[in-house]
Amino acid sequence: FLDQENYEFKYTFFKDPENGMDIELDYNEFSTPETIDYLPVLPENQRYEFAQIGYESEADFKSASGYFLLMLFSNPDLGGNGIPIPSLNRFKYYSTRLLYLTEEYSYFFRLEGPLMSVAAFPENPNISTSGDIDSFEISSNMEYVRREDSWIGKTTVAGDFNETEWKIICDANTYPKITEFPEELKTRYPSISPLNELERYSTRLFLQGDTYRKNLERLFDPGFDHIIKIGFVSEQFNFFR
């Protein structure tokens, strides 16, 4: 529980709650975590969301059977502090997610296993772009391991509204370009928007996470192990057009 008057984090546990049960708790009997670290103060944003879950064992972690420790949304007042990261001896692993939104982009960070620790958030992230889908170029002040560009087109066929989304996934050094959709694709989906009418909707840069090759395995390899591993991390910026 985060007390927004005193900016204190305290907790308690109770057993075997039943649906519809009224539970009375005395805040004076709540405990203080063994340690509390704090994230850096977030950059100016329109809103943010944060969630932290604790797991008592590796088996609990793999089965996602944990305890919600903290959930924040709708920009709660933290008194000018960063988001608190409580640590309890009871828990061996954690799952932590942070999302914040600005007018230009969204930032998402996810860490599975270790307690979240961030020295600083990237300052002044930006990209510059040029060209259409068949000649698209991008530059950024950040290094990244994977990129996803989403292109959107809208058509009306026989009175029916249709939307086409074409996503291009690549690494930092390669950008696949085509000048027209294959005939097989246009035959199978006759309402697909012409390639030259698609407009860029967003560009997502993965600073940490699966590389391009690893992402292909995750998407298409039937033997890929999809169980989230301890130490999995994903950090990404999504820039809106």
Side-chain angles (χ1 to χ4, degrees), residues 39 49-53 55 61-64 85 94-100 106-118 121 146 204-210 215 218 224-237:
L39 295 180
E49 300 173 4
F50 177 83
Q52 183 190 27
I53 303 172
Y55 303 98
F61 175 84
K62 291 182 176 180
S63 63
I85 307 293
Y94 297 87
S95 175
T96 311
R97 304 185 186 198
L98 168 67
L99 168 71
Y100 66 80
S106 67
Y107 173 84
F108 177 74
F109 188 98
R110 175 185 177 187
L111 179 62
E112 302 291 342
L115 199 64
M116 185 175 180
S117 176
V118 175
F121 294 108
R146 189 173 92 248
R204 189 185 303 270
L205 303 183
F206 290 81
L207 280 59
Q208 300 185 72
D210 288 347
N215 185 63
R218 183 182 298 277
F224 186 84
D225 184 359
H226 288 273
I227 296 178
I228 294 296
K229 304 294 192 299
I230 294 172
F232 174 83
V233 61
S234 179
E235 183 182 18
Q236 55 189 268
F237 280 93

Side-chain angles (χ1 to χ4, degrees), residues 182-192:
E183 289 299 325
E184 296 87 345
L185 190 63
K186 291 190 290 184
T187 299
R188 184 170 182 179
Y189 302 102
S191 61
I192 192 171

Side-chain angles (χ1 to χ4, degrees), residues 161-194:
F161 175 78
N162 298 280
E163 183 173 273
T164 299
E165 179 178 3
W166 186 257
K167 183 177 292 186
I168 300 175
I169 305 173
C170 61
D171 59 29
N173 301 314
T174 306
Y175 184 77
K177 299 177 181 179
I178 60 174
T179 58
E180 185 55 87
F181 288 131
E183 289 299 325
E184 296 87 345
L185 190 63
K186 291 190 290 184
T187 299
R188 184 170 182 179
Y189 302 102
S191 61
I192 192 171
S193 297

Side-chain angles (χ1 to χ4, degrees), residues 12-28:
T12 190
F13 292 94
F14 50 89
K15 295 183 178 180
D16 303 324
E18 296 181 3
N19 187 30
M21 176 188 296
D22 292 329
I23 300 176
E24 295 185 5
L25 302 173
D26 185 347
Y27 182 71
N28 294 320

Side-chain angles (χ1 to χ4, degrees), residues 2-8 38 41 48 72 75-84:
L2 183 63
D3 180 357
Q4 289 186 235
E5 288 190 7
N6 301 309
Y7 307 111
E8 292 181 333
Y38 292 86
V41 175
Y48 70 87
L72 303 173
N75 285 38
D77 179 17
L78 297 177
N81 299 313
I83 295 173

